[in-house]
Amino acid sequence: MTFLNKLLCGACLLQAAVTVADPLQIRITDQQGVPLEDAVAELQLPNPPILKTPAELAQKDLTFVPFVSAVQKGTAVEFPNQDKTRHHVYSFSPAKVFELKLYAGKPEAPVLFDKSGIIAIGCNIHDYMQAYVYVGDSPYLAVSRADGSAQFADVPAGTYQLKVWHPWQDSDVALQALTLPATGAVEIKLPVTRQQKPQKPKKGFGNSYN
């Protein structure tokens, strides 16, 4: 599975000063200005607080849901199998090597993501299945929706670095320093080569996916 051997770990970095604790919205697009879904935005700062929340990456309809997740370092992630067939979930990524052998339902214990980085997830039974978990140092993480928006709420006032990542991005992008407003959207353009998200193959000769 070549996608596990090729991690696109580039990121956009910029200095950002947040002056009030109002909701902050980042709008992420590709190089043509088209909204970009599944981009991770992280507000980084020295000595970040620990605000870990429970997380899960499900197997549903023979795909991983969600395709991209973002969690703080030290978070335990559940991997419930909601399909009728068994899955064999694994990762060879340097930030977290693990394996959940053939199982149905819910594994006995969640997987602890204790190192920051990008983790590519695969299934040893269904080669087309893939997902990514972005593990950040900060608790201030958001994944962009279909309209390209990633919203932060209850972020304390202070100076942050805004880090943006997407699994399809082409390269790092240097952005200038700016002051993030209390409200309204901050526009970020991230060059990507768009691909099709993993999806269950259609039934046919040679395919027995249920």
Side-chain angles (χ1 to χ4, degrees):
M1 298 177 65
T2 58
F3 84 95
L4 290 175
N5 298 323
K6 184 180 180 181
L7 280 178
L8 301 178
C9 296
C12 302
L13 291 177
L14 60 108
Q15 293 291 330
V18 178
T19 56
V20 294
D22 288 339
L24 169 68
Q25 181 167 285
I26 311 295
R27 185 173 182 271
I28 305 168
T29 69
D30 64 13
Q31 58 271 42
Q32 279 82 39
V34 178
L36 187 59
E37 188 177 15
D38 297 316
V40 177
E42 179 184 9
L43 295 176
Q44 297 182 325
L45 70 167
N47 303 314
I50 306 299
L51 301 178
K52 295 174 294 183
T53 56
E56 73 172 33
L57 177 54
Q59 298 115 68
K60 183 178 180 180
D61 198 25
L62 298 179
T63 57
F64 286 115
V65 180
F67 174 55
V68 173
S69 305
V71 302
Q72 186 180 20
K73 180 175 63 177
T75 298
V77 178
E78 299 279 4
F79 284 82
N81 180 0
Q82 300 175 9
D83 288 325
K84 294 181 180 179
T85 188
R86 296 191 175 201
H87 292 294
H88 185 146
V89 179
Y90 71 99
S91 175
F92 294 144
S93 300
K96 187 66 181 182
V97 177
F98 73 94
E99 184 177 24
L100 299 173
K101 296 185 178 180
L102 278 173
Y103 71 96
K106 193 174 182 179
E108 292 183 3
V111 177
L112 179 65
F113 289 84
D114 51 2
K115 184 185 298 183
S116 58
I118 310 300
I119 293 137
I121 309 291
C123 174
N124 202 34
I125 305 302
H126 308 95
D127 288 348
Y128 66 90
M129 289 178 62
Q130 60 178 282
Y132 295 89
V133 179
Y134 177 105
V135 183
D137 293 308
S138 169
Y140 306 123
L141 296 155
V143 180
S144 63
R145 300 182 286 251
D147 62 358
S149 65
Q151 184 167 309
F152 295 89
D154 302 321
V155 177
T159 300
Y160 298 82
Q161 282 189 319
L162 173 62
K163 183 177 182 181
V164 178
W165 174 88
H166 194 281
W168 301 340
Q169 71 186 52
D170 295 330
S171 61
D172 296 353
V173 178
L175 297 177
Q176 64 182 8
L178 57 82
T179 299
L180 296 181
T183 58
V186 175
E187 304 282 340
I188 303 293
K189 281 193 176 183
L190 187 62
V192 299
T193 299
R194 288 186 179 268
Q195 305 171 30
Q196 186 176 28
K197 284 195 207 181
Q199 56 183 323
K200 179 177 68 173
K202 295 180 180 180
K203 288 185 178 180
F205 181 78
N207 288 335
S208 59
Y209 299 108
N210 298 312

